[in-house]
């Protein structure tokens, strides 16, 4: 699995919208916060609207807002809808399985399956609100701002 700039910037836009959930934000406000050019961001916001994550309103008091509560938006779902399967290889994909001639004797397939499951478990358990609350636990012990 690889997250493209589309996925990264879309998640950043959702975070900003969640951060300021009490008001509608203009494209320019979001753009300035996440440092993404306005024309590119407009395309991403249009896709997020199509995917039913955000709403928009035109006019002076217009802008963009989250359509759901940030605690109801799961990162795994967003990434899958924007980027496709989470599996690192087609032979272990749940949604886009691709057969491989080496599969019966492949010693890597269990590893790729574990990677897929681990990534899916983390992303599927993480909400937009978790990101806002900085409720993500990295492996290892964090001291003085550094991961040890």
């Amino acid at each position: 699995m690889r997250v493209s700039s589309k996925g990264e910037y879309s998640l950043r836009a959702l975070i900003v919208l969640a951060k300021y959930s009490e008001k509608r934000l203009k494209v320019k406000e979001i753009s300035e916060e996440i440092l993404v050019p306005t024309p590119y961001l407009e395309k991403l916001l249009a896709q997020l609207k199509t995917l039913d994550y955000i709403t928009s309103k035109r006019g002076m008091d217009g802008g963009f807002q989250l359509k759901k509560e940030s605690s109801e938006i799961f990162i795994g779902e967003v990434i899958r809808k924007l980027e496709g399967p989470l599996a690192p290889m087609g032979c272990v994909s749940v949604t886009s399985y691709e057969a491989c001639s080496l599969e019966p004797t492949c010693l890597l397939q269990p590893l790729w399956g574990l990677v897929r499951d681990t990534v899916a478990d983390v992303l599927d358990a993480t909400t937009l609100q978790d990101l806002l609350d900085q409720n993500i636990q990295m492996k290892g012990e964090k001291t003085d701002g550094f991961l040890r």
Side-chain angles (χ1 to χ4, degrees):
M1 177 201 110
R2 178 158 166 69
V3 177
S4 68
S5 61
K6 176 173 106 174
E8 172 80 12
Y9 297 153
S10 294
L11 286 175
R12 290 186 185 279
L14 289 172
I15 290 168
V16 170
L17 291 170
K19 186 175 167 184
Y20 302 104
S21 61
E22 71 285 349
K23 64 179 188 171
R24 285 188 187 90
L25 295 178
K26 307 269 188 222
V27 175
K28 185 176 180 182
E29 293 173 301
I30 301 167
S31 175
E32 289 171 355
E33 180 109 7
I34 64 174
L35 305 175
V36 173
T38 303
Y40 185 47
L41 182 58
E42 287 172 338
K43 292 177 185 177
L44 299 177
L45 293 171
Q47 185 170 15
L48 289 171
K49 185 177 176 185
T50 300
L51 293 172
D52 228 19
Y53 290 114
I54 63 175
T55 61
S56 67
K57 181 179 178 185
R58 293 181 183 261
M60 285 295 272
D61 64 339
F64 293 89
Q65 277 185 302
L66 288 182
K67 190 168 185 176
K68 304 176 182 180
E69 294 293 321
S70 55
S71 60
E72 297 173 358
I73 298 175
F74 289 87
I75 304 306
E77 177 187 291
V78 175
I79 292 295
R80 281 184 190 90
K81 286 183 177 182
L82 292 170
E83 304 282 0
L86 298 177
M89 302 295 284
C91 64
V92 294
S93 177
V94 173
T95 57
S96 298
Y97 172 77
E98 296 174 18
C100 171
S101 59
L102 297 175
E103 206 167 314
T105 59
C106 182
L107 299 178
L108 289 172
Q109 190 177 28
L111 174 64
W112 300 139
L114 177 61
V115 169
R116 179 213 52 222
D117 291 347
T118 303
V119 168
D121 288 348
V122 170
L123 295 179
D124 290 341
T126 303
T127 66
L128 198 52
Q129 188 62 48
D130 291 327
L131 298 177
L132 283 176
D133 295 340
Q134 298 181 10
N135 190 23
I136 306 297
Q137 185 73 30
M138 290 178 61
K139 194 173 183 177
E141 184 180 335
K142 192 173 184 182
T143 45
D144 301 307
F146 295 99
L147 192 61
R148 309 250 184 237

